[in-house]
Structures are given as structure tokens and as C-alpha cells.
Amino acid sequence: MAFSLRTFFLLCGLSGLLTGAWSLPSKKGGCCPEEWTLLDDHCYVFKNDPRTFADAESVCNILGGNLASITSALKNVVVYEMLLESEELEAWIGLTDAVEDGEYFWVDGKPFDFSNFVSVPGMESCGYIGPDGEWDTESCTAEEPYFCIRDSECSKH
């Protein structure tokens, strides 16, 4: 199962590369800051600095963005591959139901119309991406690495 899922993610990622949907920043005058990855009009970065959900969101705000919203299967694959490269098991994404139990939303305000939950989310309020690229929830006070998202410089023109 793990092999076929990884193969699926790899094929999805390659498909994105071939169609031009996923483009890495250039070294000169890139659309994203150094160490960030460009996908569509957004830049993503993995921060291996475990923090609570709220603290991680604060750091992402300081960096000009939010905890990452994952609004498509391709974006999920890219974030998952970044997680694999980090050798961490899970990391915060910008998903929470802190306002109303069971009503999830992205902290950056993007529509919640794509989901990759393993099963029905747990009783905890904050979302993370974990092994196999699937999502789950845990206590917002747990400390995890995290992903930030921000608009690319190229999308602002």
C-alpha cells in the first residue's frame, strides 16, 4: 500500500512538472525567498522548529504568510514530499476547527473544498500532515514542525 501510494504521489508530482503547474524558483530574481518552493502563485517553506499551532501561525505571519493551506491534490503532494525530505513524521498545516467543533477552515481564509483526512478527524482542533501525506488532528498545544505559505512576488505584479 505504501509503495503504491508513494508511486501515485510521484506520478501526480511528475504530471505537475510536465504541465508546468509546479515550478521551482530560479536562483536569480526568483518569485520566492531563498529556501521557499514555488507552486502556482504561492511559496511554501518547511520550518523544522517545533512550535504550538498558534506560535507557528505567528512565525508564518512574521514571514509574510500563514500556516499552509493545501487546496488541491497537487499541493498536498508537494507539501508531503517536502515533509519526506525533512525526515520528520508530521507537521502543522493551517487547518483548524477552533471556531466551531467539526467545521474546519484554513487560517488564511481560503475555501475548504479539498480534504485529505485519513478518516473522520479526531476531537482535537488543529490539523497536520503526516505519514503517507494524509491529514489528522491533534491538540493545538502540541509542538510540531510546520509549513508556511505566502503569495509569490511574481503574483503581486
Side-chain angles (χ1 to χ4, degrees):
M1 173 68 179
F3 174 76
S4 62
L5 186 58
R6 181 149 170 100
T7 302
F8 170 74
F9 284 143
L10 180 61
L11 290 175
C12 288
L14 289 175
S15 172
L17 284 172
L18 295 175
T19 63
W22 178 21
S23 58
L24 296 174
S26 65
K27 297 278 186 199
K28 293 198 259 181
C31 297
C32 295
E34 205 172 310
E35 298 181 12
W36 291 64
T37 298
L38 177 65
L39 177 61
D40 296 331
D41 291 334
H42 296 97
C43 303
Y44 294 81
V45 69
F46 173 77
K47 292 299 208 177
N48 195 354
D49 175 25
R51 294 181 179 265
T52 65
F53 188 88
D55 287 348
E57 173 65 4
S58 294
V59 172
C60 292
N61 291 167
I62 291 166
L63 296 174
N66 296 94
L67 282 169
S69 53
I70 301 175
T71 57
S72 70
L74 178 59
K75 290 175 182 178
N76 199 74
V77 168
V78 171
V79 170
Y80 172 61
E81 287 297 322
M82 292 170 69
L83 181 67
L84 288 178
E85 287 177 18
S86 76
E87 298 182 3
E88 290 293 327
L89 296 177
E90 56 193 43
W92 291 128
I93 55 177
L95 189 63
T96 184
D97 72 345
V99 174
E100 185 176 337
D101 202 28
E103 296 294 321
Y104 286 89
F105 64 93
W106 295 112
V107 294
D108 64 4
K110 290 195 176 51
F112 183 62
D113 52 9
F114 172 77
S115 175
N116 199 35
F117 277 113
V118 177
S119 58
V120 177
M123 298 300 293
E124 295 82 13
S125 293
C126 293
Y128 67 87
I129 186 168
D132 299 326
E134 297 171 332
W135 307 347
D136 207 341
T137 58
E138 72 176 315
S139 170
C140 299
T141 59
E143 293 190 354
E144 297 289 351
Y146 52 97
F147 286 96
C148 298
I149 186 175
R150 64 181 275 181
D151 291 335
S152 76
E153 292 300 316
C154 297
S155 70
K156 295 178 183 178
H157 297 102

